Amino acid sequence: MRIRSALGDPANAERLCDEIDASIDHALREIRAFTYLLHPQDLTAYGLKATIEQYACGFAARTSLKVTTDITPEVDRLPARTQRSLLRIIQEALTNVFRHAKATAVGVVIKATESHFRLRIRDNGRGMAGGDARYGTSETSLGVGIPAMRFRLQQLGGTLEFRSTVARRSGTTLCAVFPHHLAGKRRSQRKGLLVIK
Ligand SMILES: Nc1ncnc2c1ncn2[C@@H]1O[C@H](COP(=O)(O)OP(=O)(O)OP(=O)(O)O)[C@@H](O)[C@H]1O
Ligand SMILES: [Mg+2]
C-alpha cells in the first residue's frame, strides 16, 4: 500500500524498497536461525558434550546472541535416550530464548553431583511474564515447548523450574534436575529385571 501511494514519488518509493529489502534480510536470518535450532543432531558421532558445544557455536553464529557452555563430560556416559532428551530440552530452551527473551547472552551449564545432574540455562533478557518456579504447569500459555520439556524431565525422574523477575529485567533461568540412578536405569517389563543401560 505504501509503495502504491509512493508511485509518483520515486525517492520515497526507493526508500520503501530499501525498507522491504531490510525486512526480507531480517526474516531470512530468523528462518535460518530457526531451522538451525531445530535441525536433528547425530549424537553417536561425537557424544552429547561436544554436540551441545558445536550446537551452541552454530546458534551464536546465526544469531546476535553470545552463547557460553560449561558441560560436564559425565553427560557422555548417560544412556542414549537420556542424551537425546537433554539435547531436545536444550534446543527448545534456546529456541525460547531466541524467540521471546530479547536477550544478548545465554549460558548453558550442566553439572553432575554425587546423585544428580543439574542443567541451567540462563539468559539476560526481559524475563518471563508471571515467571516463577511453577511456570508452564498450568494454563498460563498455549505453547507446547515448556510442557514438553517438563514431560521429558518427568520421564527421567526429574523436575523443571524457571526463575525470572520481569521487574528487574534480570532474565530467565531454566533449572532442571534429574537423578543419576533413574536416568540410567530402565525396567524390563518382559523379564521383570532391572536393566542398566
Ligand atoms: N527465555 C524466555 N524469556 C522470556 N519469556 C519466555 C522464555 N521462555 C519462555 N518464555 C515465555 O513462556 C511462554 C511459553 O513458552 P513455550 O515454549 O511453552 O511456548 P511458545 O514458545 O510460546 O510456543 P511453542 O509451542 O512454539 O514452544 C512463551 O510464549 C514466552 O512468553
Ligand atoms: Mg517455545
Side-chain angles (χ1 to χ4, degrees):
M1 282 167 64
R2 284 172 63 196
I3 285 185
R4 275 210 182 87
S5 62
L7 282 179
D9 176 358
N12 196 13
E14 185 74 27
R15 216 172 25 251
L16 285 172
C17 287
D18 289 345
E19 273 181 39
I20 290 168
D21 275 348
S23 290
I24 291 171
D25 281 349
H26 183 77
L28 284 174
R29 276 199 304 278
E30 288 215 338
I31 290 167
R32 281 200 76 217
F34 280 126
T35 50
Y36 180 82
L37 275 163
L38 297 174
H39 83 285
Q41 302 283 317
D42 180 10
L43 281 172
T44 55
Y46 304 105
L48 183 59
K49 177 177 160 65
T51 302
I52 295 170
E53 287 164 353
Q54 283 167 18
Y55 181 75
C57 272
F59 175 59
R62 284 165 178 78
T63 63
S64 51
L65 279 155
K66 181 169 182 281
V67 188
T68 54
T69 53
D70 178 7
I71 313 287
T72 172
E74 293 278 300
V75 293
D76 289 340
R77 293 167 54 192
L78 285 165
R81 188 168 162 272
T82 307
Q83 293 192 24
R84 280 198 299 276
S85 289
L86 263 182
L87 186 62
R88 285 296 301 124
I89 290 166
I90 292 168
Q91 285 180 306
E92 177 55 39
L94 290 180
T95 304
N96 273 353
V97 172
F98 178 64
R99 280 180 69 191
H100 307 298
K102 294 206 186 306
T104 56
V106 57
V108 181
V109 178
I110 304 181
K111 300 263 184 227
T113 66
E114 278 289 297
S115 56
H116 288 76
F117 279 93
R118 291 180 188 279
L119 163 68
R120 201 186 64 200
I121 301 179
R122 169 185 266 161
D123 69 60
N124 66 349
R126 64 182 173 184
M128 260 180 178
D132 64 14
R134 290 167 306 285
Y135 198 91
T137 52
S138 62
E139 297 304 313
T140 45
S141 159
L142 291 178
V144 294
I146 292 174
M149 288 192 250
R150 202 176 292 287
F151 180 66
R152 285 181 200 279
L153 279 156
Q154 272 165 9
Q155 287 183 317
L156 301 178
T159 55
L160 176 68
E161 286 186 355
F162 289 89
R163 299 189 189 136
S164 178
T165 322
V166 183
R168 276 185 274 131
R169 229 194 117 83
S170 52
T172 300
T173 304
L174 173 157
C175 306
V177 182
F178 60 93
H180 288 202
H181 70 289
L182 284 176
K185 291 176 184 174
R186 297 276 168 269
R187 242 172 226 292
S188 163
Q189 300 286 341
R190 254 184 308 155
K191 296 184 186 160
L193 294 171
L194 193 63
V195 179
I196 308 206
K197 288 188 183 170

